[in-house]
Amino acid sequence: MKKKPDIENPDNSLSRVWSLARLLKLGSDGAWQDVPSVNPESADNDVLNATADALGALKVVEVRKKPGALAAIFRDGRMGSDLIAQSESLGELGFSFFDVDPLEPEKIVPTLVGEGGTLELKLKEGVKIVLVFGLKFEDKRVCLAQASFDRKILEENAEDETEVAFLESDGEKKAKLKNNRFADWFYLISEEEYQKIRFRMSETVKEK
């Protein structure tokens, strides 16, 4: 989903208008495929605005420190075979890997997934924050967070290449600072708050 900005009043949640940018489905061959003939106006503005507001107000109720080796992997962004080696401890919290060949793990870049889903937030300065949700423990949901710099995001929001070159270094620094802060911790949020930000296709995309 992407938001169409309201120039007159960008902070008013009632003015935010969303459009469906892209819709994918998992094919029989295990690869993601675009769904043809997507209606851009099928996004439900009320549901998405409520979700965005809940995400902006999301609060961490508890943190648990990661083992040192695992924290170092997240801090350095080593999301390949080093992270796969930690799959047993991550699996206990509801996390696993997608697109991994156990016989040749170096040949495929693994994607960390959680049984509670994934949220990807893109900030205009080029910072991408990925939240992966794992198991529910009583009334709390465990979450992993990672930040990285994505130049394409900056290019989409900057006026020209000169501005991109000027802002790139600052964006990289912000991403690194955020990722260093996230790296040491498992975050827990209340299950009630998690349900507010959980994406449900049947509620979010209207029928034609």
Side-chain angles (χ1 to χ4, degrees):
M1 296 288 181
K2 65 179 179 180
K3 182 179 68 176
K4 296 177 181 177
D6 185 326
I7 298 175
E8 294 182 1
N9 193 0
D11 296 322
N12 183 354
S13 64
L14 297 177
S15 71
R16 294 186 302 225
V17 179
W18 300 78
S19 65
L20 187 62
R22 191 181 184 193
L23 194 60
L24 301 171
K25 67 177 181 179
L26 193 62
S28 58
D29 59 353
W32 290 100
Q33 303 170 352
D34 281 286
V35 175
S37 304
V38 172
N39 175 15
E41 305 305 321
S42 61
D44 190 316
N45 284 307
D46 292 339
V47 172
L48 285 167
N49 282 328
T51 302
D53 290 339
L55 184 59
L58 192 64
K59 294 181 180 179
V60 174
V61 296
E62 186 182 339
V63 293
R64 296 182 184 178
K65 198 166 183 62
K66 292 175 186 169
L70 183 60
I73 290 170
F74 274 87
R75 189 177 297 109
D76 298 339
R78 292 180 278 128
M79 307 304 285
S81 57
D82 287 346
L83 188 59
I84 294 174
Q86 302 288 328
S87 60
E88 183 175 351
S89 60
L90 288 171
E92 294 173 353
L93 298 175
F95 300 104
S96 57
F97 296 94
F98 181 73
D99 272 355
V100 174
D101 184 342
L103 299 178
E104 298 181 286
E106 295 290 349
K107 289 191 175 182
I108 302 177
V109 178
T111 300
L112 182 67
V113 295
E115 70 169 48
T118 300
L119 272 176
E120 188 175 289
L121 311 175
K122 296 180 179 180
L123 309 183
K124 63 182 180 180
E125 59 263 36
V127 178
K128 180 172 71 176
I129 299 174
V130 178
L131 303 177
V132 186
F133 298 94
L135 282 176
K136 173 187 174 185
F137 293 97
E138 296 179 348
D139 59 346
K140 300 170 187 175
R141 178 77 59 165
V142 65
C143 174
L144 281 170
Q146 185 187 20
S148 61
F149 177 75
D150 189 334
R151 196 175 193 273
K152 291 181 180 178
I153 301 172
L154 189 56
E155 291 172 349
E156 291 174 357
N157 290 278
E159 293 185 2
D160 50 41
E161 186 61 31
T162 301
E163 185 178 13
V164 171
F166 179 75
L167 297 174
E168 186 171 8
S169 177
D170 186 51
E172 290 175 339
K173 290 178 182 177
K174 288 181 178 178
K176 186 174 182 178
L177 285 172
K178 287 182 182 296
N179 193 59
N180 284 344
R181 189 170 77 245
F182 295 151
D184 287 333
W185 308 101
F186 290 107
Y187 296 97
L188 285 93
I189 63 172
S190 74
E191 181 66 13
E192 181 181 1
E193 294 299 308
Y194 165 74
Q195 292 298 332
K196 292 179 182 178
I197 64 172
R198 185 182 178 192
F199 183 88
R200 298 175 178 85
M201 182 68 71
S202 60
E203 297 177 4
T204 310
V205 179
K206 299 177 182 177
E207 297 277 342
K208 281 190 178 182

